[in-house]
Amino acid sequence: MELPLSSGAFSIARAAVLLVSVCMAGRMLFLNAYRDDAYTHRAFANSNRATEVAAPRGIIYDRFGTPLVEDVPDFALQIRVSEARAHPEIMTAIAAAVPRALSMEEIWKRADADAERGDIVTIARGLTLTEVAQIRVLRSETVLIENTYSRRYPYGESFAHILGYTGSASAADLLERSNLSRNDIVGKNGLELAYDDALRGTRGESVAYRDAREEVVERKIIAEPIAGEALVTTIDAEFQQFLYDR
């Protein structure tokens, strides 16, 4: 004899079907959202490129607040190593415009020695406006002009033994200090070296947004550079200059 199913059995069956439907819908929404997010990040990486923004070094002062160093706005020439390898004609044009730039051999050597530190290498500093114009005429994404700073010492040799000097981070610097970028300017001697971590500051980051034709439509700072800390010394600049001039 067949017995009719109870209403409770139908309720359980309906609940099971509903639960399965909800799980399937949730899974589809998750996959679509994940896929859209992945595509968004991939499109961003392909069409927009991040570059570092130089931070000014901290100023060194004497005991009375007189600056002993200055940060002067400057231009640095950089290349994307991965693209430069594929475009030797660009490197030839760079060598003609800025003869003092690093040779290709030196660039590859420096890039291969610390590839984990990024794809961008600084190959010349202190560009003139004429050199900047010649580089920009190339209209190549392989080449970058960085707005940076150079260090100037208004008291010249009279403070050289105290202040020291700065320069591009060398292979030895990068080996000894893991927090450096290959494009950093670091202290090499004197107070510039002794207090380099505080004076150096933190680089920022900018992104160039491009349209479907790969034309730059907007540049935006996504991380502001942080200037280095000021250093106040016990030096009396006027008295030090007096002793030097005697």
Side-chain angles (χ1 to χ4, degrees):
M1 182 175 66
E2 295 183 358
L3 297 176
L5 293 175
S6 66
S7 60
F10 280 113
S11 298
I12 293 173
R14 284 197 298 270
V17 171
L18 179 61
L19 180 61
V20 171
S21 299
V22 170
C23 289
M24 292 180 64
R27 178 65 175 172
M28 291 179 65
L29 287 172
F30 172 78
L31 290 175
N32 284 334
Y34 177 83
R35 182 179 61 187
D36 290 345
D37 188 57
Y39 284 154
T40 298
H41 282 288
R42 183 180 301 175
F44 181 87
N46 289 338
S47 60
N48 307 299
R49 289 180 171 176
T51 56
E52 292 181 332
V53 179
R57 283 180 73 83
I59 301 300
I60 303 174
Y61 297 92
D62 82 345
R63 61 189 300 177
F64 300 111
T66 302
L68 305 178
V69 300
E70 297 174 355
D71 281 333
V72 181
D74 203 354
F75 297 105
L77 177 59
Q78 301 177 328
I79 62 164
R80 298 184 189 276
V81 176
S82 58
E83 295 184 8
R85 293 183 191 273
H87 297 283
E89 73 282 0
I90 294 296
M91 300 307 298
T92 300
I94 290 174
V98 188
R100 67 183 180 285
L102 293 178
S103 67
M104 286 189 285
E105 180 181 356
E106 181 62 29
I107 292 169
W108 309 150
K109 179 180 178 182
R110 181 174 297 189
D112 293 340
D114 58 342
E116 73 280 359
R117 294 181 191 260
D119 190 43
I120 296 176
V121 173
T122 299
I123 64 173
R125 296 186 183 277
L127 269 64
T128 66
L129 292 177
T130 299
E131 290 171 335
V132 169
Q134 290 175 327
I135 292 299
R136 284 181 172 160
V137 164
L138 299 177
R139 297 183 62 83
S140 170
E141 288 299 315
T142 303
V143 188
L144 304 170
I145 299 293
E146 181 186 39
N147 294 313
T148 184
Y149 303 89
S150 62
R151 206 66 152 169
R152 195 174 81 86
Y153 301 93
Y155 289 91
E157 294 183 358
S158 59
F159 284 80
H161 64 292
I162 301 174
L163 300 176
Y165 64 98
T166 61
S168 298
S170 65
D173 293 325
L174 297 174
L175 186 62
E176 294 173 3
R177 302 157 69 183
S178 60
N179 64 331
L180 291 180
S181 159
R182 64 153 67 103
N183 300 313
D184 278 338
I185 293 292
V186 299
K188 296 291 188 177
N189 205 344
L191 293 177
E192 293 280 24
L193 173 59
Y195 293 92
D196 183 64
D197 285 341
L199 291 169
R200 193 172 62 253
T202 304
R203 284 176 168 267
E205 191 174 24
S206 69
V207 169
Y209 294 92
R210 292 171 171 77
D211 59 21
R213 296 175 297 178
E214 288 296 305
E215 296 290 336
V216 175
V217 294
E218 181 184 8
R219 295 185 185 274
K220 185 176 181 181
I221 300 291
I222 59 176
E224 291 285 349
I226 301 173
E229 299 176 24
L231 176 63
V232 180
T233 69
T234 59
I235 299 170
D236 183 330
E238 184 176 348
F239 185 62
Q240 175 67 28
Q241 188 67 51
F242 169 77
L243 292 177
Y244 180 82
D245 291 337
R246 291 192 65 184

